[in-house]
Every structure is written in structure tokens, then in C-alpha cells.
Amino acid sequence: MVHNDLKINHLTIVKNLEERIVEHWLILNLALTLFGGIATLAVIARDDSGSILQCWTKRCYTIDPCFAEAAALLCALELARDNHFLKIMVEGDAKICIEAISASSNTIPWKIFSIVANIKFLALAFSACSFCWSIEMLTVWLLPLPTELVYVRINKTAELVVLEFRSS
């Protein structure tokens, strides 16, 4: 109820506005593992109701977790652009990288400076683009196995990401 004895219930109005803001947005959750100089990046696309739409993985050769997290952010934006998504919210647990996107250039860590510059430029391609630091996001653990990732299949009923491997 919005009105209570002719008094406006501001909390209800704000909650309804919050729900309308994320309506029709695509949420991109990020996860990665780092093992033996190889980072495996995962990007999971969800609609505004939380249903999994698509999932991608990519390998990045680095030993630096901060660089890998920044590369995952850039990868998510590139995938969103390539798939013609218009309004995106990127969620990840890399606080340093997400804070660097809104920071002034003199405070961005030098090792991710060029990636963050590319992220800022690519973010302009969307009608709406938001970055959110979240430790309570969907996490996909890609175990460092001596195998090669063939493809990712989504089981929508259980909302599980099924990773299929083949021997190297």
C-alpha cells in the first residue's frame, strides 16, 4: 500500500522504483580461477528475474589476480556488446577493479590502468551500464584440471552451469 491514512509511504515508493530500475536489464556475473599462470574467466548472463540466459568462458595468461579480474570485467563488456545487449549490470567480487572504474585516473592501479581505460570507453556503447561489487553473487568454480573446456551448457530448470571437459 502506498498511502496510509493519507500519508505517503516513501519506503514502498522507493522499493517499487528500485524494481523498475532493474527491469529489462541484463545482469552479468563474473567468476574466475587462477592456476599455473592461467586464469579461467567465466561470465554468466541473467535476465532481470535471475534466470540464466547464457554463459561464456575465456582463458587469460597471467599470474596477477587483479589483472585477471580486470580482464574479466572487460571480457564481460565485450561479450555484452557483441551480443547487442543494451542495458547491463556487471556484478563481480573484485572490489579494487570495480572501484577503479569510477576513480580518477591518478588513483587507478598502474597494472590495470589500460584495461580500466578500455572498460570506461566500452561502457559508453550501452544505453545503460552499471558495475556492482558483490560478495554474495553467483560463483562458478572452474577447477584447474588437466583438460580442455569444450563448451558450457545451461540446465535452466535447476539453474546450474554444467561444464563439459575432454582430455588434453
Side-chain angles (χ1 to χ4, degrees), residues 92-106:
D93 60 359
K95 188 174 184 182
I96 292 171
C97 297
I98 290 174
E99 287 178 345
I101 294 167
S102 61
S104 61
S105 60
N106 61 343

Side-chain angles (χ1 to χ4, degrees), residues 1-57:
M1 172 177 259
V2 175
H3 300 284
N4 184 7
D5 293 336
L6 300 176
K7 294 180 182 176
I8 297 174
N9 187 337
H10 294 286
L11 181 61
T12 302
I13 293 171
V14 169
K15 290 210 178 282
N16 287 334
L17 286 174
E18 286 176 351
E19 289 175 12
R20 302 264 338 252
I21 288 171
V22 295
E23 190 175 295
H24 307 296
W25 281 62
L26 186 80
I27 297 139
L28 300 171
N29 298 114
L30 307 178
L32 72 90
T33 61
L34 188 61
F35 181 77
I38 299 173
T40 304
L41 318 174
V43 179
I44 297 121
R46 295 176 164 269
D47 63 14
D48 54 357
S49 66
S51 298
I52 295 175
L53 303 175
Q54 203 163 353
C55 183
W56 303 269
T57 60

Side-chain angles (χ1 to χ4, degrees), residues 64-155:
D64 187 335
C66 188
F67 183 88
E69 294 281 4
L73 286 166
L74 181 60
C75 177
L77 289 182
E78 290 170 342
L79 290 166
R81 178 202 57 206
D82 295 346
N83 286 278
H84 309 289
F85 301 141
L86 300 175
K87 296 183 346 182
I88 62 169
M89 179 182 299
V90 183
E91 291 184 349
D93 60 359
K95 188 174 184 182
I96 292 171
C97 297
I98 290 174
E99 287 178 345
I101 294 167
S102 61
S104 61
S105 60
N106 61 343
T107 60
I108 299 171
W110 67 269
K111 60 186 168 185
I112 60 170
F113 186 86
S114 62
I115 295 176
V116 170
N118 288 334
I119 290 169
K120 288 181 177 185
F121 180 75
L122 194 52
L124 298 173
F126 303 97
S127 62
C129 181
S130 175
F131 298 89
C132 177
W133 175 69
S134 173
I135 57 172
E136 296 179 5
M137 54 171 262
L138 169 73
T139 303
V140 177
W141 296 102
L142 303 175
L143 299 175
L145 301 172
T147 56
E148 180 183 341
L149 182 64
V150 177
Y151 63 92
V152 177
R153 184 177 67 231
I154 305 300
N155 179 344

